[in-house]
Amino acid sequence: MDALLSPLKTTIISETDQPGSDLVAVGAERRSTSIRQISVVQSPEDALEALKSKPDSDLLTKALRWLDRSAANIDGFNIKIPGPKAAQIIFVLVVEIVPDYWRSLNGKVTSIQFKQKKSLFRCLCNVAGIGAITARLRVFLDLKDDPQINGQSSISVKSQGLEILLDVLETLLDGSAFVSRIWIDMNSYITNASQRALLWKEFIAIVAGGRLLSHAAEAFHFINKSTSDASEGRWLGNGSQYCSWLGENIAHILMSSQKERAEDWKALALLVNRALKLGYTDQLVEATCSSFILGEDHLLTNSVNLVQNLGVHEQRSFLHSLLRILSKRHLENTSGGHPYEKQQDNKKALGGTAALISKLVQDSEVLQDGLVDWLTGVSGDAVGQDFNVRRAVVAALAHDQARILHVLNKSLELFGDKLSIRHTPMLHQEVNTQVLLMVAGIIHRNDAQKLSTMARSSLYLSAISNRLAASSTRASLLGMIVGTAISELVDSREKRMNFSTEEVNSTEGQWYRSLTQLTDPVGTISDLKPSASSSSGVSSSSSRNWSKSDETSKISTKTGSTSKIISIEELDNSESEDEDLVRYEKPDSDPSDSEEDATLVQRNRPVAPVYIRDLIAGLRDTENFDRYKLAIVTAPSLIRRKSKFGTEVTEHIEELASLLVGLNDKYEMDKFQEMRLQGMIAVLIAQPLQMGQWFARTYFSGDYSIGQRASILSTLGLGARELAGFQQEDAALTGGDVVPEKSFPSKKLPEKLHKVFLPEESSSSPLNSISQSLENIMLQPMALSAADKLSGPNVLKVRTFSSRMAVEKKRQKPIPNALAKIVADGFFLPLTGRWRIHLQAYGTRTPHTSAPLLPLFLKTLAVLVHASGPSTLSLPQLTTEFWSLLLALRPSAAEDVTVLEAILFGCLTILDVNDSTQRRLADENAKELLETRAWAEAVWERGAGGEGRARVLCAAVLSRVADVVGAWERTMAGELSGWL
């Protein structure tokens, strides 16, 4: 039995190994280890143990110094080279050292702390360091929604941890040389090309792929919600500022070194490819190309090499973004309105822009084809840009005869396409016409025979015929203009085409025809440099204005702060009892006089602004409540008063509009939205054509909230009705009529409760109220007619005849409609054209097509059509454009009842305004009539919208369509024979 049990191990227990001797105090063990580590840090293991042991300042200095020196590959270890030991050290630095020491290192520091901070950042300035901080951010963000971790203390701890990590990241990434340092370190320390490529892809995924940006934005959002201090001015979580920082880093790489290796260009192109997909292309390109955009060409060669290494889609995105930036920086029409209203052109900026574009695309077939598609593409990328940038692009392509002829053929094909004429936004058709005429002039100057051959081709003749046969007046006018302009180039004076219409010979028509004579030479890139004289002149004038206002304020301050002491003397009663002396009235009560502390009494109060520049200064002074409120209150009256004489409003009108649109109710003032809306309407009324286009452009391209975009639509709708003569009817909606303070009822609830119990109509949008009233006006005759039919046969009814005097007394006087002349070019077509372009570019998942804005947008268009009236010359064009837009939105109506109601209201408005021209509807819009009837019948049978407003509108639309179809059925059958 004993033989089966053999010992495996024999241990001799000494006297020191007693059972109680293995219990050693933890603090003593840590102290002994710390003492051992303080003496020497000579390996990565020593550094790791030192950082884990809660080191003091001296030990931390030694460990960070050794890690910083490890970049020289001491003993084969380098913290900048990825590895298991380096990853552990970086993890300890991020998780333990940074939270413990960052408060002491981030502020007024000593020389030792400054060295510690620099060494710490050099250890973290690598891909592993950035990745560890980003991963730590993700850990904190995942814990914020953990139901097991609740309570105010845990939220405070998490927000503090996030703030520390974000501070470290912002400090670490600050500057334009961060990406360059990462790439230089990779090339210096990592010799394996495959390992370097993998590490660079990981860095791109973090920095340019959106991981760092999304985590930082989410962290800032959590901090703002959990703490009272808002983290404003932080660039790391702001997509626009972050991409600008990334573009500055890319520009620094292009500037700092001459790249000769193909690997360097591919690596940089890979970074730019990912960065262009972050959604802030313009900010990235503007920061990358800021030098040669301002006329300095020392980085242009490197930038051309970079662009040519990008993907095809990224190259075109880069080019389109650069064209947008050049348009805003150098070529934008500051006078507003149509291009033919501009008095003088900046030939120097045009030549410089053409030179820059030509240099950028000269060796790239992809970019040259991109320019052709930009000018003539169906997507209409050139539509939203200024006319001068299209001139510059045409000038850049003018030297390439084959490509400029290709532009002519494509634009002419699009110009004469029937579907394009019928369904393309008019803004796009106008741009295509401009390009066609400019290119035709260039080809005529280079080779007149080619243009003469083209003018006799079937493509050209069918294009002009289709244009002249178009139902849209504007489309037909463009056809007449192009036919006349081309005929003036290729035909003799006796054989020239001449339509002899007022529109062709108008100022706009003559401007279109003059496009064939434009000659824009290609200049040099240095022409884009801003002139010092103009900038100094502007700055000096502005400084003079501000200094004058400052002097005025100083004088008023002195006057208000000083007082003269007057001695009080007693007078005899006999002398004072003089009946000729007028007794002074008792002064009004002043709320500030009730202050017990005399130092709180404010006597230097702001006065109402008299000039527009003072109004702008008051609107910008958001910190001074009295001045800010006074500026908002007086803005409508001052703008309307100043717009009638002088040029003060015209010079500052876009600045005023942008300020009013971007105002926020910081102080929760009473009737703030009404006062802001009145100011915006006053700006629109001052320059209707220019500002109507500006508001339409701002609605789609401005960086505004949904509420501010809704106010833009309200401004367009209410301003158009005021131009049409409905100002008195809409005064209550815009806050124009002031209700007395002691109006009925005599007693009201407190203000907060009064707002709660207000009816829905009182707090709704003004456009919703207007649409409701218009709906009632259009439905009332139908309801009366139906009631009359149900009341019995006409034979049994008694008709009352009124005298001629009574009839004349009830008849309304005609109201001058100033809107009818400009509604198409200034309001309606800019809105519909940009909406279609925006829809093609971004799809249906945008704020403009969301439930809050889309119904309001459709109601705005309906209000514009109704306000223009049945006598408007452009009514057929407005009808076709609006009807096609409404029918295109039928899928959206199935998802939202408000959109359904808005579409039905728009259809009812079209039928009501065109009630006196039903024959024209049957001739030109027969297809739309039948589609509307089929869709409305399907909505009625489906019971969409319940028994509410949508059902009433659907019945009204069906009744109106039935009237038109029943009266002109044979005409419609002949019109629709071509569609069958």
Side-chain angles (χ1 to χ4, degrees):
M1 190 67 182
D2 295 335
L4 296 176
L5 300 175
S6 58
L8 296 177
K9 184 179 180 182
T10 304
T11 303
I12 302 173
I13 300 176
S14 62
E15 295 180 357
T16 58
D17 295 331
Q18 298 298 325
S21 62
D22 57 348
L23 299 176
V24 183
V26 177
E29 183 181 357
R30 285 187 177 176
R31 284 193 297 270
S32 63
T33 306
S34 300
I35 293 171
R36 180 179 63 81
Q37 290 178 345
I38 287 174
S39 60
V40 60
V41 178
Q42 295 181 344
S43 65
E45 291 78 9
D46 294 341
L48 182 59
E49 291 297 329
L51 294 175
K52 284 183 176 180
S53 62
K54 301 292 182 182
D56 56 8
S57 180
D58 294 336
L59 182 56
L60 179 64
T61 302
K62 291 182 180 181
L64 291 177
R65 186 182 301 169
W66 189 90
L67 291 173
D68 193 12
R69 290 175 55 216
S70 71
N73 285 329
I74 299 176
D75 297 332
F77 176 78
N78 189 347
I79 196 171
K80 294 183 180 294
I81 299 177
K85 194 62 66 176
Q88 294 180 33
I89 293 174
I90 289 175
F91 178 78
V92 175
L93 286 175
V94 173
V95 175
E96 297 185 11
I97 301 302
V98 167
D100 293 342
Y101 280 89
W102 179 248
R103 297 297 184 187
S104 60
L105 297 178
N106 188 31
K108 294 183 178 180
V109 297
T110 61
S111 59
I112 296 176
Q113 291 174 331
F114 179 76
K115 292 178 181 179
Q116 290 176 348
K117 185 177 180 180
K118 290 295 183 183
S119 299
L120 176 63
F121 281 161
R122 281 192 289 268
C123 293
L124 295 177
C125 188
N126 49 64
V127 180
I130 301 298
I133 299 175
T134 307
R136 190 64 179 168
L137 274 176
R138 186 69 264 167
V139 170
F140 276 107
L141 292 173
D142 291 339
L143 289 176
K144 69 181 176 64
D145 297 327
D146 192 347
Q148 297 180 358
I149 305 176
N150 294 320
Q152 190 65 30
S153 60
S154 62
I155 293 176
S156 177
V157 170
K158 283 183 287 188
S159 62
Q160 290 176 6
L162 288 173
E163 286 180 354
I164 291 174
L165 291 175
L166 292 172
D167 286 341
V168 172
L169 268 178
E170 284 194 339
T171 309
L172 184 62
L173 271 62
D174 192 22
S176 59
F178 173 76
V179 178
S180 178
R181 286 197 303 267
I182 297 292
W183 178 248
I184 291 173
D185 290 345
M186 285 186 186
N187 286 279
S188 302
Y189 302 131
I190 302 175
T191 57
N192 189 343
S194 300
Q195 186 181 6
R196 187 166 57 242
L198 290 175
L199 194 61
W200 182 247
K201 288 182 179 180
E202 176 64 21
F203 174 75
I204 290 175
I206 296 173
V207 176
R211 189 187 306 173
L212 178 59
L213 176 61
S214 61
H215 290 0
E218 188 177 355
F220 281 127
H221 179 68
F222 174 73
I223 292 172
N224 291 338
K225 286 202 314 181
S226 58
T227 60
S228 57
D229 299 331
S231 56
E232 296 180 357
R234 307 293 290 270
W235 62 271
L236 188 57
N238 186 299
S240 177
Q241 298 180 14
Y242 181 85
C243 286
S244 297
W245 166 83
L246 196 55
E248 292 172 0
N249 277 263
I250 296 171
H252 184 271
I253 295 176
L254 295 174
M255 186 184 303
S256 60
S257 60
Q258 297 292 331
K259 304 261 176 223
E260 298 179 357
R261 298 188 305 167
E263 181 188 357
D264 295 342
W265 287 116
K266 289 181 180 179
L268 188 57
L270 189 62
L271 175 68
V272 177
N273 278 333
R274 291 294 297 272
L276 287 172
K277 298 176 183 177
L278 287 174
Y280 301 91
T281 308
D282 289 356
Q283 289 81 358
L284 180 74
V285 174
E286 185 172 8
T288 304
C289 307
S290 58
S291 59
F292 59 81
I293 286 176
L294 296 177
E296 300 174 2
D297 57 351
H298 60 278
L299 284 184
L300 186 56
T301 303
N302 286 345
S303 299
V304 170
N305 293 333
L306 171 63
V307 173
Q308 291 178 356
N309 280 275
L310 299 176
V312 175
H313 177 71
E314 285 74 18
Q315 288 188 40
R316 295 197 174 193
S317 298
F318 190 95
L319 177 63
H320 295 173
S321 177
L322 183 61
L323 292 176
R324 287 193 295 269
I325 295 167
L326 290 171
S327 175
K328 293 177 182 177
R329 283 287 191 94
H330 303 288
L331 303 175
E332 193 168 18
N333 185 0
T334 56
S335 63
H338 202 273
Y340 69 81
E341 298 177 358
K342 194 174 181 181
Q343 299 298 324
Q344 55 182 349
D345 299 324
N346 191 349
K347 291 283 187 181
K348 191 175 180 181
L350 273 170
T353 304
L356 176 57
I357 297 171
S358 178
K359 179 68 175 177
L360 187 65
V361 306
Q362 63 181 358
D363 297 327
S364 174
E365 293 289 333
V366 173
L367 292 178
Q368 291 177 8
D369 293 339
L371 282 182
V372 174
D373 291 339
W374 186 84
L375 285 171
T376 62
V378 180
S379 60
D381 295 317
V383 175
Q385 309 306 318
D386 191 80
F387 166 70
N388 287 327
V389 76
R390 294 190 288 274
R391 288 178 59 180
V393 171
V394 171
L397 292 174
H399 66 281
D400 192 342
Q401 297 296 324
R403 210 168 292 276
I404 206 73
L405 186 61
H406 182 53
V407 172
L408 178 64
N409 291 329
K410 288 193 67 174
S411 59
L412 186 59
E413 182 181 354
L414 185 64
F415 182 78
D417 185 66
K418 289 184 178 181
L419 290 177
S420 175
I421 295 172
R422 191 174 183 86
H423 299 290
T424 304
M426 191 53 60
L427 196 62
H428 191 183
Q429 298 184 37
E430 291 175 355
V431 168
N432 186 50
T433 304
Q434 297 165 12
V435 173
L436 173 61
L437 293 175
M438 287 190 290
V439 172
I442 293 174
I443 292 178
H444 176 71
R445 288 189 293 272
N446 294 335
D447 191 350
Q449 185 61 34
K450 287 185 179 180
L451 185 65
S452 179
T453 304
M454 185 274 300
R456 289 164 178 80
S457 64
S458 60
L459 178 64
Y460 174 77
L461 295 177
S462 63
I464 298 299
S465 300
N466 293 338
R467 281 281 167 177
L468 295 179
S471 58
S472 173
T473 308
R474 184 70 177 175
S476 178
L477 174 62
L478 293 178
M480 289 188 285
I481 290 174
V482 170
T484 304
I486 299 297
S487 179
E488 289 175 351
L489 294 177
V490 300
D491 296 332
S492 60
R493 186 177 296 274
E494 296 81 13
K495 298 181 179 180
R496 287 179 182 175
M497 188 181 297
N498 186 10
F499 290 94
S500 300
T501 60
E502 182 180 353
E503 292 81 5
V504 175
N505 297 321
S506 63
T507 305
E508 182 184 9
Q510 292 177 2
W511 176 83
Y512 270 103
R513 290 156 57 188
S514 67
L515 294 180
T516 57
Q517 309 299 327
L518 281 180
T519 55
D520 296 319
V522 179
T524 60
I525 299 177
S526 59
D527 293 337
L528 295 177
K529 290 183 179 179
S531 59
S533 59
S534 61
S535 60
S536 62
V538 173
S539 61
S540 61
S541 63
S542 61
S543 63
R544 285 195 297 270
N545 292 338
W546 283 109
S547 62
K548 184 177 180 180
S549 61
D550 291 342
E551 289 176 3
T552 306
S553 62
K554 289 179 181 178
I555 293 173
S556 62
T557 304
K558 288 183 179 180
T559 307
S561 59
T562 58
S563 59
K564 183 178 180 182
I565 301 176
I566 303 174
S567 60
I568 301 174
E569 300 178 358
E570 277 192 28
L571 299 176
D572 296 337
N573 293 334
S574 60
E575 297 178 358
S576 62
E577 292 177 358
D578 193 348
E579 296 180 355
D580 296 335
L581 296 178
V582 180
R583 185 186 299 272
Y584 285 107
E585 296 181 359
K586 182 180 179 181
D588 296 333
S589 61
D590 192 346
S592 61
D593 290 337
S594 61
E595 294 286 351
E596 297 181 358
D597 189 355
T599 59
L600 298 178
V601 178
Q602 179 68 22
R603 296 299 184 188
N604 184 22
R605 297 177 184 172
V607 296
V610 181
Y611 300 102
I612 296 298
R613 64 173 184 270
D614 298 331
L615 175 63
I616 293 174
L619 293 174
R620 285 177 173 165
D621 191 5
T622 56
E623 302 301 325
N624 189 342
F625 170 74
D626 294 331
R627 187 184 185 191
Y628 182 64
K629 182 179 180 180
L630 193 60
I632 295 175
V633 172
T634 57
S637 58
L638 179 62
I639 295 171
R640 289 178 183 272
R641 187 170 68 250
K642 287 286 185 178
S643 63
K644 296 180 181 179
F645 60 91
T647 61
E648 194 175 2
V649 173
T650 307
E651 292 173 354
H652 302 279
I653 192 163
E654 291 191 4
E655 186 179 4
L656 263 176
S658 60
L659 278 174
L660 289 169
V661 172
L663 287 180
N664 293 315
D665 192 4
K666 181 178 179 181
Y667 299 101
E668 298 183 357
M669 292 184 286
D670 295 335
K671 296 186 178 181
F672 172 82
Q673 299 298 339
E674 289 83 353
M675 292 185 291
R676 185 171 71 100
L677 185 61
Q678 288 181 48
M680 293 166 64
I681 294 174
V683 170
L684 179 63
I685 298 302
Q687 294 288 333
L689 181 61
Q690 174 187 347
M691 296 313 298
Q693 297 174 353
W694 185 91
F695 277 114
R697 182 172 65 250
T698 304
Y699 173 76
F700 289 100
S701 60
D703 188 11
Y704 297 107
S705 64
I706 291 181
Q708 290 168 338
R709 295 183 195 276
S711 66
I712 292 176
L713 294 177
S714 300
T715 301
L716 289 171
L718 294 172
R721 284 179 59 83
E722 182 172 342
L723 289 171
F726 298 100
Q727 182 179 5
Q728 297 298 328
E729 299 179 13
D730 300 340
L733 300 175
T734 60
D737 59 341
V738 180
V739 181
E741 293 183 0
K742 296 183 179 180
S743 61
F744 180 83
S746 58
K747 292 183 179 181
K748 294 195 303 183
L749 292 170
E751 192 64 27
K752 292 183 178 179
L753 295 177
H754 182 69
K755 293 179 179 179
V756 172
F757 289 98
L758 274 176
E760 278 188 26
E761 292 79 5
S762 302
S763 57
S764 61
S765 171
L767 272 178
N768 290 330
S769 303
I770 290 176
S771 62
Q772 183 69 39
S773 62
L774 293 179
E775 177 186 327
N776 295 334
I777 293 173
M778 291 184 285
L779 292 177
Q780 187 176 8
M782 301 174 63
L784 293 176
S785 176
D788 184 62
K789 291 179 180 179
L790 294 175
S791 61
N794 294 331
V795 180
L796 302 178
K797 296 176 186 176
V798 178
R799 183 179 178 185
T800 304
F801 292 92
S802 301
S803 64
R804 181 178 299 179
M805 297 297 294
V807 172
E808 291 294 332
K809 193 173 184 180
K810 293 180 180 180
R811 182 177 297 172
Q812 295 182 353
K813 295 182 180 179
I815 303 174
N817 193 341
L819 177 68
K821 299 179 181 178
I822 60 173
V823 62
D825 296 334
F827 291 81
F828 194 88
L829 294 181
L831 281 175
T832 56
R834 291 184 181 276
W835 188 86
R836 292 181 185 272
I837 294 166
H838 193 86
L839 189 67
Q840 291 176 357
Y842 302 104
T844 58
R845 302 299 180 184
T846 60
H848 305 90
T849 56
S850 60
L853 285 182
L854 183 56
L856 201 61
F857 177 75
L858 297 178
K859 291 175 182 178
T860 303
L861 296 178
V863 168
L864 291 175
V865 172
H866 185 274
S868 62
S871 302
T872 304
L873 295 177
S874 58
L875 182 60
Q877 182 182 1
L878 301 184
T879 300
T880 304
E881 187 82 12
F882 191 26
W883 216 337
S884 62
L885 189 148
L886 291 174
L887 294 176
L889 288 172
R890 284 175 290 180
S892 301
E895 302 174 359
D896 195 339
V897 178
T898 57
V899 177
L900 174 63
E901 293 176 355
I903 294 176
L904 291 171
F905 174 70
C907 294
L908 184 60
T909 304
I910 291 174
L911 295 169
D912 182 76
V913 175
N914 291 275
D915 186 57
S916 59
T917 56
Q918 292 183 358
R919 172 65 184 268
R920 182 179 53 77
L921 281 183
D923 286 340
E924 300 177 1
N925 302 102
K927 179 174 174 290
E928 287 83 354
L929 273 170
L930 296 183
E931 286 189 11
T932 303
R933 184 177 67 176
W935 173 70
E937 288 176 351
V939 171
W940 179 268
E941 293 174 358
R942 193 171 63 247
E947 298 295 332
R949 182 184 173 195
R951 195 136 177 105
V952 176
L953 289 171
C954 186
V957 169
L958 285 173
S959 176
R960 287 295 182 95
V961 172
D963 293 342
V964 179
V965 173
W968 306 98
E969 188 172 2
R970 292 185 178 181
T971 303
M972 293 175 60
E975 178 67 23
L976 290 173
S977 61
W979 293 90
L980 299 177

